[in-house]
Coordinates of all heavy atoms in Angstrom, one line a residue:
N19 N 7.4 -21.5 -9.9 CA 8.3 -21.4 -11.1 C 9.4 -20.4 -10.9 O 10.3 -20.3 -11.7 CB 7.4 -21.0 -12.3 CG 6.4 -22.0 -12.7 OD1 6.6 -23.2 -12.6 ND2 5.2 -21.5 -13.1
R20 N 9.4 -19.6 -9.8 CA 10.4 -18.7 -9.5 C 11.5 -19.3 -8.6 O 11.3 -20.3 -8.0 CB 9.8 -17.4 -8.8 CG 8.8 -16.7 -9.5 CD 8.4 -15.4 -8.8 NE 7.3 -14.7 -9.4 CZ 6.8 -13.6 -8.9 NH1 7.2 -13.1 -7.8 NH2 5.7 -13.0 -9.5
S21 N 12.6 -18.7 -8.6 CA 13.7 -19.2 -7.8 C 13.7 -18.6 -6.4 O 13.2 -17.5 -6.2 CB 15.1 -18.9 -8.4 OG 15.3 -17.5 -8.6
L22 N 14.1 -19.4 -5.4 CA 14.2 -18.9 -4.0 C 15.6 -18.7 -3.7 O 16.5 -19.5 -3.9 CB 13.6 -20.0 -3.1 CG 13.6 -19.7 -1.6 CD1 12.7 -18.5 -1.2 CD2 13.2 -20.9 -0.8
V23 N 15.9 -17.5 -3.1 CA 17.3 -17.2 -2.6 C 17.6 -18.1 -1.4 O 17.0 -17.9 -0.4 CB 17.4 -15.8 -2.3 CG1 18.9 -15.5 -1.8 CG2 17.1 -14.9 -3.5
R24 N 18.5 -19.1 -1.6 CA 18.8 -20.0 -0.6 C 20.1 -19.8 0.1 O 20.3 -20.2 1.2 CB 18.8 -21.5 -1.2 CG 17.4 -21.9 -1.7 CD 17.4 -23.3 -2.2 NE 16.1 -23.7 -2.6 CZ 15.2 -24.2 -1.8 NH1 15.4 -24.4 -0.5 NH2 14.0 -24.5 -2.3
K25 N 21.0 -19.0 -0.5 CA 22.3 -18.8 0.1 C 22.3 -17.8 1.2 O 23.2 -17.8 2.1 CB 23.2 -18.3 -1.0 CG 23.5 -19.3 -2.1 CD 24.5 -18.8 -3.1 CE 24.9 -19.8 -4.2 NZ 25.8 -19.3 -5.2
R26 N 21.3 -16.9 1.2 CA 21.3 -15.9 2.3 C 20.5 -16.3 3.5 O 19.5 -16.9 3.4 CB 20.6 -14.6 1.7 CG 20.7 -13.5 2.7 CD 20.2 -12.2 2.1 NE 20.2 -11.1 3.1 CZ 19.8 -9.9 3.0 NH1 19.3 -9.5 1.8 NH2 19.9 -9.0 3.9
A27 N 21.1 -16.1 4.7 CA 20.4 -16.3 6.0 C 19.6 -15.1 6.4 O 19.9 -14.0 6.0 CB 21.5 -16.7 7.0
K28 N 18.6 -15.4 7.2 CA 17.8 -14.3 7.8 C 17.5 -14.6 9.2 O 17.1 -15.7 9.6 CB 16.4 -14.1 7.0 CG 16.5 -13.5 5.6 CD 17.3 -12.2 5.5 CE 16.6 -11.1 6.2 NZ 17.4 -9.8 6.0
I29 N 17.8 -13.6 10.1 CA 17.5 -13.8 11.5 C 16.1 -13.2 11.8 O 15.9 -12.0 11.5 CB 18.6 -13.0 12.3 CG1 20.0 -13.6 12.0 CG2 18.3 -13.2 13.8 CD1 21.1 -12.7 12.4
L30 N 15.2 -14.0 12.2 CA 13.8 -13.6 12.3 C 13.4 -13.2 13.7 O 13.9 -13.7 14.7 CB 12.9 -14.8 11.8 CG 13.2 -15.3 10.4 CD1 12.2 -16.5 10.2 CD2 13.0 -14.2 9.4
S31 N 12.4 -12.3 13.7 CA 11.8 -11.9 15.0 C 10.9 -13.0 15.5 O 10.3 -13.7 14.7 CB 11.0 -10.6 14.8 OG 10.1 -10.4 15.9
P32 N 10.8 -13.2 16.8 CA 9.8 -14.2 17.3 C 8.4 -13.8 16.9 O 7.5 -14.7 16.9 CB 10.0 -14.0 18.8 CG 11.3 -13.5 19.0 CD 11.6 -12.6 17.9
F33 N 8.1 -12.6 16.5 CA 6.8 -12.1 16.1 C 6.7 -11.9 14.6 O 5.7 -11.3 14.1 CB 6.4 -10.8 16.9 CG 6.5 -11.0 18.4 CD1 7.6 -10.4 19.1 CD2 5.6 -11.7 19.1 CE1 7.7 -10.6 20.4 CE2 5.6 -11.8 20.5 CZ 6.7 -11.2 21.1
D34 N 7.6 -12.5 13.9 CA 7.6 -12.4 12.4 C 6.3 -13.1 11.9 O 5.9 -14.1 12.4 CB 8.8 -13.0 11.8 CG 9.0 -12.7 10.3 OD1 8.3 -13.3 9.5 OD2 9.8 -11.8 10.0
N35 N 5.7 -12.5 10.8 CA 4.5 -13.1 10.3 C 4.7 -14.6 9.8 O 3.8 -15.4 9.9 CB 4.1 -12.3 9.1 CG 3.8 -10.9 9.4 OD1 4.5 -10.2 10.1 ND2 2.6 -10.4 9.0
L36 N 6.0 -14.9 9.4 CA 6.2 -16.3 9.0 C 6.0 -17.3 10.1 O 5.5 -18.4 9.9 CB 7.7 -16.4 8.5 CG 8.1 -17.8 8.1 CD1 7.4 -18.4 6.9 CD2 9.6 -17.9 7.9
I37 N 6.4 -17.0 11.3 CA 6.5 -18.0 12.4 C 5.5 -17.8 13.5 O 5.6 -18.5 14.5 CB 7.9 -18.1 13.0 CG1 8.3 -16.7 13.6 CG2 8.9 -18.5 11.9 CD1 9.6 -16.8 14.5
I38 N 4.6 -16.8 13.4 CA 3.7 -16.5 14.5 C 2.8 -17.6 14.9 O 2.5 -17.8 16.1 CB 2.9 -15.2 14.2 CG1 2.3 -14.6 15.5 CG2 1.8 -15.5 13.2 CD1 3.4 -14.1 16.5
Q39 N 2.5 -18.5 14.0 CA 1.7 -19.7 14.3 C 2.6 -20.9 14.5 O 3.1 -21.5 13.5 CB 0.6 -20.0 13.3 CG -0.4 -18.8 13.2 CD -1.6 -19.2 12.4 OE1 -2.2 -20.3 12.6 NE2 -2.1 -18.3 11.6
R40 N 2.9 -21.3 15.7 CA 4.0 -22.2 16.0 C 3.7 -23.6 15.5 O 4.6 -24.3 15.0 CB 4.2 -22.3 17.5 CG 4.4 -20.9 18.2 CD 5.4 -20.0 17.7 NE 5.7 -18.9 18.6 CZ 6.2 -17.7 18.2 NH1 6.4 -17.5 16.9 NH2 6.4 -16.8 19.1
K41 N 2.4 -24.1 15.6 CA 2.1 -25.4 15.1 C 2.3 -25.5 13.6 O 2.7 -26.5 13.1 CB 0.6 -25.7 15.4 CG 0.2 -27.1 15.0 CD -1.2 -27.4 15.4 CE -1.6 -28.9 14.9 NZ -1.5 -29.1 13.5
R42 N 2.0 -24.4 12.9 CA 2.2 -24.4 11.4 C 3.6 -24.5 11.1 O 4.0 -25.3 10.2 CB 1.6 -23.1 10.9 CG 1.9 -22.8 9.4 CD 1.3 -21.4 9.0 NE 1.8 -21.0 7.7 CZ 1.2 -21.3 6.6 NH1 0.1 -22.1 6.5 NH2 1.6 -20.8 5.4
M43 N 4.5 -23.9 11.9 CA 5.9 -24.0 11.6 C 6.4 -25.4 11.9 O 7.3 -25.9 11.2 CB 6.7 -23.0 12.5 CG 6.6 -21.6 12.0 SD 7.3 -21.4 10.3 CE 5.8 -21.5 9.4
Q44 N 5.8 -26.1 12.9 CA 6.2 -27.4 13.1 C 5.8 -28.4 12.0 O 6.5 -29.3 11.6 CB 5.7 -27.9 14.5 CG 6.3 -29.2 15.0 CD 6.1 -29.4 16.5 OE1 5.4 -28.6 17.1 NE2 6.6 -30.5 17.0
D45 N 4.6 -28.1 11.5 CA 4.0 -29.0 10.4 C 4.8 -28.8 9.1 O 5.1 -29.8 8.4 CB 2.5 -28.6 10.2 CG 1.6 -29.1 11.3 OD1 2.1 -30.0 12.1 OD2 0.5 -28.6 11.4
L46 N 5.1 -27.5 8.7 CA 5.7 -27.3 7.4 C 7.2 -27.2 7.4 O 7.8 -27.6 6.4 CB 5.1 -25.9 6.9 CG 3.6 -25.9 6.5 CD1 3.2 -24.5 6.2 CD2 3.4 -26.8 5.4
F47 N 7.8 -26.8 8.5 CA 9.2 -26.7 8.6 C 9.9 -27.6 9.6 O 11.1 -27.6 9.7 CB 9.6 -25.2 9.0 CG 9.4 -24.2 7.9 CD1 8.1 -23.7 7.6 CD2 10.4 -23.8 7.1 CE1 7.9 -22.8 6.6 CE2 10.2 -22.8 6.1 CZ 9.0 -22.4 5.8
G48 N 9.1 -28.4 10.3 CA 9.7 -29.3 11.3 C 10.4 -28.6 12.4 O 11.4 -29.1 12.9

């Protein structure tokens, strides 16, 4: 129900918690 800030870009670390599981990123983010 909350809004997501979509206009701002973020440069992520290869070890960022979001992307540490590579298969998950492929499944959810393609």
